[in-house]
Amino acid sequence: MDYKLEIAKKISNMIEMETEKVLDLMEIPPQPNMGDYAFPCFQLAKVVRKAPNMIAKELAQKVEKDNIVEKAEAAGGYLNFFVNKEEFIKEVINQVLEQEDKYGSSDEGEGKTVLVEFSSPNIAKPFHIGHLVNTITGNAIEKIFKHLGYKTVKLNHIGDYGTQFGKLISAYKRWGNDEVIEKDPINELLKIYVKFHEEAEKDPSLEDEGRMYFKRLEEGEPEAVALWEKFRELSLKEFKKLYNDFNIEFDSYAGESFYSDKMPEVIEILKDKNLLKESSGAQIVDLEQFNLPPCIIIKSDGATIYATRDLAAAIYRKRTYDFHKSLYVVGNTQALHFKQVFSVLKLAGFDWADDCVHIGTSLVKFADRKLASRKGDVIYAKEVVDEAVEKTLEIINSKNPNLENKEDVARKVGMGAIIYTFLKNNMDRDIIFSWEDMLNFEGESGPYVLYSYVRGKSILKKAENININPDLSCLKTEDEFNLAKQLNFFNETVKQAAERYEPFVITRYVTDLAKAYNKFYNTHPILTADEEIRDARLALTKAVTTVLDTGLGLLGIQTPESM
Ligand code: ARG
């Protein structure tokens, strides 16, 4: 049963307002002693021309007690509802235990496809921490939409096209050593690429050579193509190791190069609609009506660019997947680029441009000492992950040295700590990276939530001879009611996270649920309580661990059995 909906229906029956509208207006009172749901009467007051507090008073008298509502009270212009606690607790716990990992899911997305483009690193370049933020955020967003019944497609728009690959081919032919490259592909390719630039400063003819190889690559000359493919394969192999660590799989790795032969059509479309203009030798689309700088489609040297490939990609994706929404999880620094691309699509008459959304991820700032990065300001994702796992292992070694599968647990907890940190706040804020906060088992952190989960699990493991159909009406304390309320709130939380494209809503939620469970655990005996109460509290514990597991799972955090 959906309590909010049932109460909204009751309200809707008493007044002239659709249930949907009532639902929209309903709030959660700021304090639990003010009730569980509130309906503000201010909007209604304008329609019926009565003071809001009068309306609230009149309605309160009309509400009858039943198995859903205990009572309703007027407080100023608000009509506050108190749910029937005993029924509520029973209903919620049973729902979770029945639905298990489907709890909080819905069918709102049935028949709709949501594309989530995320990660999108550049080949032969290091996978840096910004790409890791996009990877983790996109992964969570995909899981959230999937939970709501959408068909999701995970796209990795690999950066595998551009003049730099001509230079890399030239560098490889001069200094490439396969044996060394196989061992550490990305760093080695980066090294020879840097060397190319150093040498080109002394001998500018190298630049011409680079251009020549790029031209050959574009013309499909077999040797150049084979080398490019080799760089791509080696890079993808490295990236996939990281994806594997985070349990991420993509449905498509079609990157920029995939769209290069689809650009002429874009240019045709723009020409047809009279949108292309010449400006100092380049072809642009004017975006003044959107208050944006022009979008360059063809550079003055005839080369097409990043934006043109994105236009081709968007059109291709609409045709291929007929998406309901096409989401781009990419750093905030590219906000302007996406505004331009979506505006050009709109000008070209593609109404679905409005269904394209750039989800701009935040920058990572470091609160404590620099990471062990070899190169100044570029922080490699792999280093962060390795260090997090290592540090977690140290903590486990000091706290729980006899733990089984320590390495595996450290991996899950360490990576969970990173994910939590990246998804802790909304995307308007920078991500503050601090090892101390991140691995603090007592503060608001991944390990804290995981620890609460593991604690619940271990209680369940210790329990013996339990009644699996306990009498839940013996859960009578405020802490237990509060936990049931938290559990019930999961449904709305998932919806809100999707609506706002903000995984932090879920992070916040699992933290609150873990806190509420810890408070309950610290105040009330479970295993040592009277049998009836014990069994009911175990059922509650099971419901909490189930929802924690699901919530963490939506963030991409894996749960260990013990830690
Ligand atoms: N490869 C780009 C980068 O590393 C990100 C690509 C973003 N996606 C897109 N459709 N433009 O900055």
Side-chain angles (χ1 to χ4, degrees), residues 491-507:
N491 294 291
E492 245 182 284
T493 303
V494 183
K495 283 203 189 95
Q496 225 189 75
E499 246 162 53
R500 297 169 65 179
Y501 307 114
E502 280 282 18
F504 95 92
V505 175
I506 308 255
T507 316

Side-chain angles (χ1 to χ4, degrees), residues 158-220:
I158 298 281
D160 57 2
Y161 190 89
T163 46
Q164 72 267 33
F165 294 107
K167 296 178 189 173
L168 190 59
I169 291 173
S170 160
Y172 175 83
K173 291 191 69 115
R174 285 168 178 266
W175 312 294
N177 175 340
D178 276 341
E179 226 174 283
V180 190
I181 292 178
E182 285 288 337
K183 273 194 207 121
D184 186 7
I186 295 183
N187 281 320
E188 207 42 44
L189 291 175
L190 186 68
K191 217 188 256 172
I192 59 171
Y193 183 67
V194 170
K195 187 174 165 104
F196 179 91
H197 282 273
E198 284 163 7
E199 296 293 322
E201 263 177 33
K202 290 178 240 160
D203 176 6
S205 74
L206 254 69
E207 293 283 354
D208 294 333
E209 192 178 295
R211 263 191 288 276
M212 171 197 74
Y213 279 119
F214 180 62
K215 198 157 171 270
R216 288 193 188 173
L217 181 60
E218 281 209 294
E219 284 163 356

Side-chain angles (χ1 to χ4, degrees), residues 65 102 214 297 303 307 318 321 323 338 443 489 504 548 554:
K65 176 180 168 165
K102 301 280 175 310
F214 180 62
I297 304 294
K318 184 65 191 175
Y321 303 104
F323 56 73
F338 286 108
F489 195 50
F504 95 92
L548 277 179
L554 292 183

Side-chain angles (χ1 to χ4, degrees), residues 117-123 128 131 134 157-160 256 306-307 309-310 313 317 328-331 333-334 337-338 341:
E117 188 217 281
F118 63 106
S119 197
S120 310
N122 305 315
I123 65 170
H128 60 71
H131 288 125
N134 299 344
H157 192 73
I158 298 281
D160 57 2
E256 290 188 45
Y306 188 52
R309 283 186 288 279
D310 258 324
R317 288 172 186 176
Y328 297 74
V329 185
V330 184
T333 46
Q334 296 195 26
H337 162 75
F338 286 108
V341 169

Side-chain angles (χ1 to χ4, degrees), residues 274-279 281-287:
N274 253 331
L275 292 170
L276 275 191
K277 276 194 194 140
E278 135 121 50
S279 166
Q283 296 287 321
I284 61 152
V285 175
D286 188 281
L287 297 175

